[in-house]
Amino acid sequence: MNTDDINLAYKIRHALNDNLDNLPASTTDRLAAARAAALARKKADAPVRAKQQRASFDLGALFSMQWVARAAVVAPLLLMAAGMVGVYQYETQQRAAELAELDAAVLSDDLPLTAYTDHGFNAYLAQQQQAQQQPQRAQ
């Protein structure tokens, strides 16, 4: 049944319930007979079979192929998760190494640390470049 059929059934049921008191006795008798016939033709519910709990270790289940199918689904997922963790660790180490290299370059530079926060830093850099270029021109 699709949703349109279900909606139609709900509308019919609602209309019948609203006008139940107004229906003639012959109609209610026919509806009751139709319901009884439908219930008589209904398939019996299948009995629920409970799995027996095994108290001992089942060696046959160990060699069944069902665990192989489950492992075939779980193993790639675990490998993918491990790979993602490995890539994350590698990227984290690379970033830490780059930051350490940058920190070492800043600390070993001739510039004072306050120069990086100074607004006149560009002017200082321009002065340093001019000072380096003047001795080269003189030679």
Side-chain angles (χ1 to χ4, degrees):
M1 285 182 118
N2 60 20
T3 56
D4 292 335
D5 293 339
I6 293 171
N7 288 336
L8 177 65
Y10 284 139
K11 287 178 184 178
I12 291 172
R13 185 184 72 185
H14 184 67
L16 287 174
N17 286 339
D18 284 346
N19 295 322
L20 187 60
D21 296 332
N22 300 336
L23 290 176
S26 63
T27 304
T28 56
D29 292 340
R30 285 188 319 196
L31 286 173
R35 184 174 192 279
L39 288 175
R41 285 185 294 193
K42 181 181 176 268
K43 292 182 182 178
D45 291 332
V48 178
R49 295 180 186 171
K51 290 187 177 181
Q52 295 177 350
Q53 296 293 333
R54 296 181 179 149
S56 64
F57 180 72
D58 187 11
L59 194 58
L62 182 62
F63 293 110
S64 71
M65 297 305 284
Q66 188 177 17
W67 70 272
V68 174
R70 289 181 183 168
V73 172
V74 173
L77 293 175
L78 290 176
L79 287 174
M80 185 176 69
M84 291 175 71
V85 167
V87 168
Y88 175 77
Q89 290 293 328
Y90 175 76
E91 291 293 328
T92 302
Q93 288 177 355
Q94 290 296 93
R95 180 160 169 78
E98 289 172 2
L99 290 175
E101 185 179 330
L102 180 66
D103 288 345
V106 167
L107 292 174
S108 65
D109 195 14
D110 292 337
L111 290 175
L113 292 178
T114 56
Y116 290 102
T117 61
D118 189 12
H119 293 295
F121 181 62
N122 289 334
Y124 177 79
L125 286 177
Q127 266 184 345
Q128 291 296 325
Q129 286 177 351
Q130 287 176 0
Q132 287 177 358
Q133 289 175 358
Q134 286 177 357
Q136 290 175 356
R137 289 182 188 167
Q139 293 174 359

